């Protein structure tokens, strides 16, 4: 019995030690659980505070892409390309020569238009000179009328003399004072005088008609030059317009860059005949790119034009932040403006949250420091608290 007491005492001590260790672990676990709970509460409070102060005043999306108003370069005349000065990815400035077209036909057209203009001016001078000639003809016809009137007066006098002679001889003929031959001669003279009178009257009418025709020609010719100079004549102006158009086509044989940007999708080669109006390349204005952010319709309840926005591009990461502002909303959702719009008029229709493109204009200085390319992915956040 004396040997059993110590063994019992050791077992008891071991059990007590295990219980104490277990209690310590439970106490330690309890402390960690309390700490975890406090941490969760603190994080929750911080999140709630952040949401109340900041989070609820911001909307964001990662469905956003870089876009730009791409300029298409199209020739305004049809001709053969004799020189192509740019390649894809090449940066150009507005006014830089992109392509030279064969100017031969355009130069011939300019020469023809210049000849037509010279001919129009010559015709105007000729018409003006014709008016002077027609005025002289009108004056000459007036002299002809005066001459015809004088001849009419002489014929009238001859007629009166022949009439009186005939009447005198016819009065003396019954008494035998004049012979029949004299009476016959008097009658012939009277008939001749009457014919001469009619002829003189016709001559006056003809002279007057001729004068009227000359006056009509003069009036018609004056109408062509009246109120006009050699430079304001309608025919000359039309010839000038044709010459200007020909010179414009000659200038269009040199195709220049319409904007600053980077050449892309070049589709022209030396020797190729380009067609009027068909695009031969595009120019992307990297300094004027913007972001089209597709927000869910519920996110746009408080978004207004002019609100500030921040943009992060995947190509640079979060180290580069662009600042911009909302400049407008699309006229329709992405699905409604798609090539094949969704058809919801079915019996199994399910409502789908739509996205509306919102345009974000970016700071040009930040774009110059970190250029973007069309189509790059971005993340956009709009600050609703500032307007």
């Amino acid at each position: 019995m004396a040997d059993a007491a110590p063994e019992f005492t050791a077992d008891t001590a071991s059990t007590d030690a295990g219980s104490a260790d277990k209690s310590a672990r439970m106490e330690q676990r309890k402390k960690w659980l309390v700490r975890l709970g406090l941490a969760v509460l603190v994080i929750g409070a911080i999140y709630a505070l952040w949401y109340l102060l900041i989070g609820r005043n911001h909307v964001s999306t990662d469905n956003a892409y870089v876009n730009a108003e791409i300029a298409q370069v199209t020739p305004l005349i049809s001709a053969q390309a004799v020189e192509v000065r740019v390649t894809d990815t090449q940066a150009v400035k507005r006014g830089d020569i992109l392509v030279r077209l064969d100017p031969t036909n355009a130069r011939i057209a300019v020469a023809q238009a210049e000849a037509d203009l010279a001919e129009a001016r010559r015709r105007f001078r000729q018409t003006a000179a014709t008016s002077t000639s027609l005025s002289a003809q009108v004056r000459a016809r007036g002299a002809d009328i005066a001459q015809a009137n004088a001849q009419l007066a002489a014929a009238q006098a001859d007629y009166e003399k022949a009439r009186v002679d005939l009447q005198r001889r016819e009065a003396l003929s019954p008494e035998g004072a004049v012979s029949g031959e004299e009476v016959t001669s008097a009658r012939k003279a009277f008939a001749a005088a009457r014919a001469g009178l009619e002829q003189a009257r016709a001559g006056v009418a003809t002279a007057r008609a001729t004068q009227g025709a000359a006056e009509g020609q003069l009036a018609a010719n004056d109408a062509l030059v009246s109120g006009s100079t050699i430079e304001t004549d309608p025919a000359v102006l039309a010839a000038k317009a044709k010459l200007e158009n020909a010179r414009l086509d000659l200038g269009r044989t040199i195709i220049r860059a319409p904007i600053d940007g980077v050449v892309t999708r070049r589709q022209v080669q030396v020797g190729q005949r380009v067609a009027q109006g068909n695009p031969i390349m595009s120019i992307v204005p990297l300094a004027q790119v913007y972001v089209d952010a597709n927000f869910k319709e519920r996110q746009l309840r408080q978004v207004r034009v002019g609100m500030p926005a921040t943009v992060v591009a995947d190509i640079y990461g979060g180290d580069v932040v662009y600042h911009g502002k909302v400049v407008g909303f699309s006229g329709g959702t992405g699905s409604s403006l798609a090539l094949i719009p969704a058809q919801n008029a079915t019996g199994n229709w399910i409502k789908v949250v739509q996205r509306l493109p919102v345009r974000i204009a970016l700071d040009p200085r930040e774009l110059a420091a970190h250029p973007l390319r069309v189509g790059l992915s971005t993340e956009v956040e709009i600050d609703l608290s500032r307007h």
Side-chain angles (χ1 to χ4, degrees), residues 97-158:
I97 296 178
L98 305 177
V99 180
R100 288 183 180 271
L101 303 180
D102 185 6
T104 304
N105 292 337
R107 286 174 179 168
I108 294 174
V110 169
Q112 181 63 50
E114 289 175 344
D116 292 342
L117 177 59
E119 176 66 18
R121 287 171 173 165
R122 186 187 65 81
R123 285 197 300 267
F124 181 85
R125 287 192 292 267
Q126 182 180 5
T127 303
T130 302
S131 292
T132 303
S133 175
L134 291 175
S135 296
Q137 291 182 16
V138 169
R139 291 193 295 271
R141 299 292 81 79
D144 291 344
I145 292 176
Q147 182 179 359
N149 286 329
Q151 292 176 354
L152 177 61
Q156 184 71 36
D158 292 342

Side-chain angles (χ1 to χ4, degrees), residues 86-293:
V86 295
T87 60
D88 279 344
T89 73
Q90 180 177 339
V92 295
K93 295 291 185 180
R94 180 178 181 179
D96 288 350
I97 296 178
L98 305 177
V99 180
R100 288 183 180 271
L101 303 180
D102 185 6
T104 304
N105 292 337
R107 286 174 179 168
I108 294 174
V110 169
Q112 181 63 50
E114 289 175 344
D116 292 342
L117 177 59
E119 176 66 18
R121 287 171 173 165
R122 186 187 65 81
R123 285 197 300 267
F124 181 85
R125 287 192 292 267
Q126 182 180 5
T127 303
T130 302
S131 292
T132 303
S133 175
L134 291 175
S135 296
Q137 291 182 16
V138 169
R139 291 193 295 271
R141 299 292 81 79
D144 291 344
I145 292 176
Q147 182 179 359
N149 286 329
Q151 292 176 354
L152 177 61
Q156 184 71 36
D158 292 342
Y159 173 80
E160 291 297 331
K161 180 178 179 299
R163 184 177 63 81
V164 171
D165 289 345
L166 177 60
Q167 289 178 352
R168 184 183 301 116
R169 283 173 173 76
E170 286 180 344
L172 297 175
S173 177
E175 299 175 359
V178 294
S179 64
E181 184 178 355
E182 289 181 352
V183 173
T184 301
S185 297
R187 288 176 178 172
K188 289 181 179 180
F190 174 74
R194 183 169 56 188
L197 177 60
E198 295 298 329
Q199 184 177 3
R201 288 174 177 171
V204 172
T206 301
R208 288 176 177 173
T210 304
Q211 185 187 41
E215 290 175 346
Q217 291 178 356
L218 176 61
N221 199 79
D222 285 342
L224 296 177
V225 297
S226 178
S228 299
T229 64
I230 192 171
E231 297 302 326
T232 60
D233 179 64
V236 174
L237 292 177
K240 283 183 178 180
K242 291 182 179 179
L243 177 58
E244 185 66 24
N245 184 66
R247 288 174 176 170
L248 190 60
D249 286 343
L250 180 59
R252 287 169 175 170
T253 58
I254 299 177
I255 302 177
R256 300 180 181 272
I259 59 174
D260 298 347
V262 174
V263 176
T264 184
R265 291 185 294 185
R266 198 197 77 175
Q267 303 174 19
V268 60
Q269 303 294 338
V270 174
Q272 176 184 347
R273 180 175 178 81
V274 298
Q276 179 181 359
N278 288 345
I280 58 175
M281 67 182 69
S282 300
I283 298 180
V284 180
L286 298 185
Q288 302 175 11
V289 298
Y290 53 85
V291 173
D292 281 334

Side-chain angles (χ1 to χ4, degrees), residues 302-314:
Q302 300 180 30
V303 176
R304 300 291 183 271
V305 173
M307 286 184 171
T310 56
V311 178
V312 175
D314 291 355

